[in-house]
Amino acid sequence: MFLYRAAPTLSPVEYMVRSHRLRWPELLPWLAILAAFFAFPSYLALGAQVMIMVLFALSLDLVLGYAGIVTLGHSAFFGVGAYTAGILAAHGWGEPISGLVVGGAVAGAVGLVTGLIILRTRGLTLLMLTLAVVSMLGEAANKAGWLTGGADGLQGITLDPLLGLFHFDLFGRTAYVYCALVLLAGWMFVRRLVHAPFGRSLTGMRENTARMHAIGAPVRQRLVTVYAIAAALAGVAGALQAQTTQFVGLNVLSFELSGAVLIMLIFGGVGRLYGAFVGAPIYMVAQDALSRLDPEYWFFWVGLLLVVTVMFARGGILGVVDQIRRKVMR
Amino acid sequence: MTSALETRGLRKSFGAMVVTSGVDFRLAPGARHALIGPNGAGKTTFINLITGRLTPSAGSIHLAGEDVTALPQSARVKRGLGRTFQINTLFSNLTVLENVTMAVSERLGRGGDKFRFAGSRRDIVEEAYELLIRLRLAEDALRPVREIAYGRQRLVEMAIALGLKPRVLLLDEPAAGVPSAETAVILEVMEALPADMAVLIIEHDMDLVLRFAKTITVLVRGAVLTEGAPAEILADPRVREIYLGEGHHG
């Protein structure tokens, strides 16, 4: 959304033609990622996990924030990506980048097929169907213990050096840089997508489906397309997690993970592209700190934080930042 | 001559309730045609059948001679059918300019582009902005639609429809909810529509209908009561009794 921020020194056409240009705050996450690498060398493993969750939340933002598809089953694609890359690596296919691509492709295919079926519905029915998809996949992974390791989890994942050069070291330096580069590519891709006519039309469908139909947009086709794209991205995030932790547990195909990524996005701000970059780190760090403080009931505090966010800061943290900025500008 | 739009035996029922019963209707190319009738006559249902929001129970719909009864909404729009809504149906959090750009972009088949920035098509944005100038919306171009007055939002409805460059334009109560002082702008816009565009207007405001329409069709209880030039319709005692007697808001 191009909010009318400063005095219009530009003509409206000029303003809109330039709307996709990079602004300096968009570089902040990358400075933070770079700084963290040097500032917290003993937390690089956590850092890699945070970036994976950012990518996962970013993919959810496409579906939920832009297209307005409310889903509680987004972990299905994270899980499929994780198991695909994990199973490949456990069976001798240890080359990381191809594993990532295959993980994303398989998740995208699952997104395409399930999307074609469930995106005929809307609202509560759709919500239930997204839940059903992840439940079914979770149960399937549990049953197919010979392939997935079942409840014990998938073990024996070994990775080749990245590009044949960089070994995945104990300190997680390679993993951190690897995750950062994949996230950078994912961000560039999503940013381009949401500023393209396709992304604008997703916002249009969220804002007013009837109007999108009336201007001749193939609404359902676009919804299925974005669902599949987001699924592929979520699959890449899952594959990254399988590769960097060298373990896949059944929790990747759980409703809890879908809920967690949704909460991350709501914390940060939905439909803003950068909500994922704010919400995921806060959630992960809060989880880390709170679970040490209160190992049994830490989720209570997350819940409380969520209640406060949705009651007093509907646009998430970035929404609050926007409000403050607008007040200052006036 | 082939009609710009035609319905043959168009029928729609919801269970036992028949809301459109066997409507034969023709809209000539370049027509200025009004559809009037008391509340509940099935006018909006008729529009929704034509655009494809609703599926008819029987009968057929033809655009420039082509049977489009089985086609989805988007395919009918691609064949030159544009509409406005009785109740503003806009992208209220997007700017006025974005609202119209969206329509122009879809018309040119660019709405699904994924890897080029929307702003890189300056021609599309410029076309949308020119429409805003024509409709006197230019000063609001960068304001979110929700922030502008209702009457001006009605103009955005028109701008979006015009962005599609339709051959057939359906205007569903374009002046609904607009203070009478502001209907003049809407009428002005309607009068400036291209002569080759066939326009069908549904309107309660009889002053507006009489000033704009060359032909009037009266719909009562889902069926065509009569059709003719404004003078004939006004002189028809049945129309005076059924419509002007009770439903006149003008």
Side-chain angles (χ1 to χ4, degrees):
Chain A
M1 276 141 275
F2 314 133
L3 286 172
Y4 191 45
R5 291 206 172 93
T9 48
L10 295 171
S11 80
V13 172
E14 208 56 43
Y15 189 86
M16 200 166 157
V17 164
R18 293 184 189 188
S19 61
H20 60 262
R21 291 196 182 168
L22 202 67
R23 300 193 189 92
W24 67 264
E26 301 187 78
L27 299 174
L28 289 178
W30 307 106
L31 292 178
I33 286 168
L34 193 66
F37 181 76
F38 296 106
F40 307 109
S42 51
Y43 283 96
L44 292 184
L46 177 65
Q49 293 312 301
V50 170
M51 286 188 280
I52 289 167
M53 282 300 136
V54 171
L55 184 61
F56 186 28
L58 188 62
S59 73
L60 179 64
D61 205 14
L62 263 184
V63 169
L64 179 82
Y66 286 89
I69 302 169
V70 182
T71 170
L72 278 174
H74 204 51
S75 62
F77 312 118
F78 186 90
V80 167
Y83 272 113
T84 305
I87 290 166
L88 279 179
H91 288 76
W93 187 283
E95 202 288 309
I97 293 175
S98 56
L100 207 61
V101 170
V102 175
V106 173
V110 173
L112 181 65
V113 172
T114 57
L116 277 171
I117 300 166
I118 70 173
L119 287 173
R120 290 165 191 279
T121 66
R122 306 172 67 171
L124 195 58
T125 317
L126 176 58
L127 192 69
M128 289 300 112
L129 286 174
T130 61
L131 210 53
V133 169
V134 75
S135 305
M136 285 164 68
L137 286 172
E139 223 30 74
N142 191 14
K143 275 266 183 194
W146 56 274
L147 183 67
T148 62
D152 297 331
L154 179 69
Q155 284 156 28
I157 297 173
T158 45
L159 279 189
D160 297 347
L162 191 60
L163 302 171
L165 293 172
F166 307 100
H167 289 271
F168 284 87
D169 54 301
L170 270 179
F171 308 102
R173 275 196 294 255
T174 305
Y176 187 92
V177 174
Y178 179 42
C179 289
L181 291 176
V182 173
L183 177 60
L184 180 67
W187 167 75
M188 284 165 64
F189 172 78
V190 173
R191 188 179 183 280
R192 186 151 268 261
L193 202 61
V194 299
H195 284 295
F198 177 79
R200 313 301 309 146
S201 80
L202 297 181
T203 308
M205 290 187 274
R206 186 197 66 208
E207 286 275 310
N208 203 322
T209 313
R211 172 52 78 182
M212 279 318 274
H213 280 295
I215 63 173
V219 170
R220 207 165 70 83
Q221 183 198 317
R222 297 239 175 103
L223 288 179
V224 172
T225 306
V226 73
Y227 198 70
I229 290 174
L233 263 182
V236 169
L240 266 183
Q241 193 187 57
Q243 293 179 340
T244 55
T245 61
Q246 305 190 340
F247 176 81
V248 184
L250 279 176
N251 66 313
V252 297
L253 281 172
S254 68
F255 158 65
E256 284 79 5
L257 183 61
S258 290
V261 72
L262 185 64
I263 293 173
M264 290 178 207
L265 194 59
I266 292 172
F267 276 162
V270 177
R272 307 170 158 268
L273 191 62
Y274 295 98
F277 288 85
V278 174
I282 287 178
Y283 183 94
M284 299 284 285
V285 171
Q287 179 185 34
D288 197 58
L290 290 174
S291 60
R292 235 176 291 159
L293 219 69
D294 192 349
E296 228 173 318
Y297 301 110
W298 68 273
F299 211 76
F300 169 82
W301 301 106
V302 172
L304 190 67
L305 210 58
L306 184 65
V307 170
V308 171
T309 309
V310 296
M311 284 188 69
F312 301 108
R314 291 298 293 268
I317 292 164
L318 286 182
V320 174
V321 171
D322 254 9
Q323 277 174 9
I324 293 171
R325 241 174 51 167
R326 237 170 288 164
K327 276 201 184 119
V328 171
M329 290 274 199
R330 252 168 215 172
Chain B
M1 190 163 55
T2 315
S3 305
L5 170 73
E6 187 176 346
T7 70
R8 291 180 200 153
L10 199 63
R11 189 186 145 84
K12 177 70 185 177
S13 53
F14 296 103
M17 189 172 72
V18 179
V19 283
T20 307
S21 61
V23 172
D24 294 310
F25 176 85
R26 290 169 70 99
L27 187 70
R32 296 291 182 264
H33 199 131
L35 185 66
I36 65 171
N39 285 328
K43 301 184 297 287
T44 294
T45 301
F46 183 65
I47 295 278
N48 286 338
L49 287 169
I50 293 171
T51 56
R53 278 191 102 189
L54 291 174
T55 313
S57 312
S60 60
I61 301 152
H62 306 259
L63 267 177
E66 184 190 358
D67 188 339
V68 296
T69 319
L71 295 181
Q73 287 185 67
S74 57
R76 300 185 197 194
V77 176
K78 290 278 180 288
R79 282 162 177 74
L81 183 67
R83 74 168 295 179
T84 66
F85 290 85
Q86 182 184 349
I87 296 161
N88 286 342
T89 303
L90 304 165
F91 311 118
S92 43
N93 288 313
L94 303 188
T95 65
V96 172
L97 184 56
E98 280 180 295
N99 267 264
V100 181
T101 304
M102 197 90 82
V104 176
S105 181
E106 291 294 343
R107 183 193 91 230
L108 295 171
R110 299 263 66 95
D113 280 5
K114 294 179 191 65
F115 300 110
R116 85 168 72 197
F117 291 125
S120 70
R121 283 298 297 265
R122 175 184 285 269
D123 54 332
I124 292 179
V125 183
E126 274 171 354
E127 186 186 326
Y129 189 63
E130 270 155 32
L131 257 173
L132 296 189
I133 294 174
R134 249 173 68 195
L135 271 64
R136 300 189 188 167
L137 283 166
E139 64 197 79
D140 289 333
L142 292 181
R143 291 179 67 188
V145 161
R146 69 183 136 78
E147 285 183 5
I148 67 174
Y150 192 84
R152 300 191 54 79
Q153 291 186 3
R154 296 305 287 160
L155 286 173
V156 179
E157 276 279 334
M158 301 266 276
I160 291 176
L162 294 180
L164 300 171
K165 288 197 177 159
R167 280 196 296 277
V168 175
L169 177 61
L170 311 175
L171 300 173
D172 194 353
E173 299 198 26
V178 179
S180 50
E182 291 175 28
T183 51
V185 184
I186 291 175
L187 184 67
E188 205 176 295
V189 169
M190 285 164 54
E191 280 170 342
L193 291 173
D196 60 349
M197 188 185 283
V199 183
L200 175 64
I201 175 178
I202 292 181
E203 186 53 73
H204 275 298
D205 184 338
M206 278 308 284
D207 295 336
L208 194 69
V209 168
L210 293 174
R211 286 173 66 181
F212 178 73
K214 304 279 184 291
T215 316
I216 296 177
T217 297
V218 185
L219 202 65
V220 177
R221 274 179 242 105
V224 175
L225 178 77
T226 179
E227 181 177 307
E232 294 166 40
I233 298 297
L234 280 182
D236 192 318
R238 292 172 304 172
V239 176
R240 298 189 73 87
E241 189 192 332
I242 291 169
Y243 184 75
L244 298 179
E246 41 187 275
H248 187 216
H249 296 277

